[in-house]
Amino acid sequence: MITSKQRAALRSLANGLDTVMQIGKGGITESVITQAQQAISNKELIKVRVLESALLTTREACEVLAEAIGAEPVQCIGSRFVLYKKNEKNPVIDLGK
C-alpha cells in the first residue's frame, strides 16, 4: 500500500510519461494483461489509455487491470490511468518510506 505522499510523487512522475498501451472494445484480455505485466516490470510506472469504444469505464479498467497484475492504482483522469508496481529485484523508482 502506498501513502498519499508517495502517490503524489508518482503522479508527478507520471505527468511526463507517454501512454504505453491502450484498452479497446476487446476489454482486458490475457494479451493485455501480459503486455501490462511486461511493461510494469521494466518501468514500474505505466500509463494506460481506455478508448471510447471500450465497454469498461476508465475506473473499472484501472481496477480490473491493477488486480490482474498486482499493481497499485495511482490516478485515473479522463480516459487515462496510471499504475505502479515496485520491481523487487531491480527497483527504478525510489519512494523512500
Side-chain angles (χ1 to χ4, degrees):
M1 193 73 175
I2 55 178
T3 66
S4 60
K5 285 188 179 190
Q6 291 171 332
R7 189 176 310 279
L10 290 170
R11 279 198 309 263
S12 68
L13 289 172
N15 195 25
L17 286 180
D18 291 328
T19 303
V20 295
M21 58 186 293
Q22 297 179 352
I23 297 174
K25 66 180 178 181
I28 298 177
T29 61
E30 287 298 320
S31 63
V32 170
I33 292 170
T34 303
Q35 183 183 0
Q37 285 174 330
Q38 290 172 349
I40 207 162
S41 68
N42 294 335
K43 301 179 183 187
E44 292 187 331
L45 192 67
I46 60 170
K47 188 183 287 187
V48 183
R49 180 173 181 230
V50 179
L51 301 176
E52 289 182 21
S53 62
L55 300 176
L56 297 169
T57 66
T58 306
R59 185 157 307 277
E60 290 170 340
C62 178
E63 291 171 2
V64 170
L65 190 58
E67 179 74 27
I69 65 173
E72 290 276 342
V74 174
Q75 85 181 54
C76 183
I77 296 179
S79 64
R80 290 179 173 80
F81 63 89
V82 178
L83 298 176
Y84 169 76
K85 182 177 180 184
K86 183 176 181 179
N87 185 336
E88 298 297 333
K89 295 179 183 176
N90 188 16
V92 177
I93 301 170
D94 180 27
L95 289 179
K97 284 282 175 179

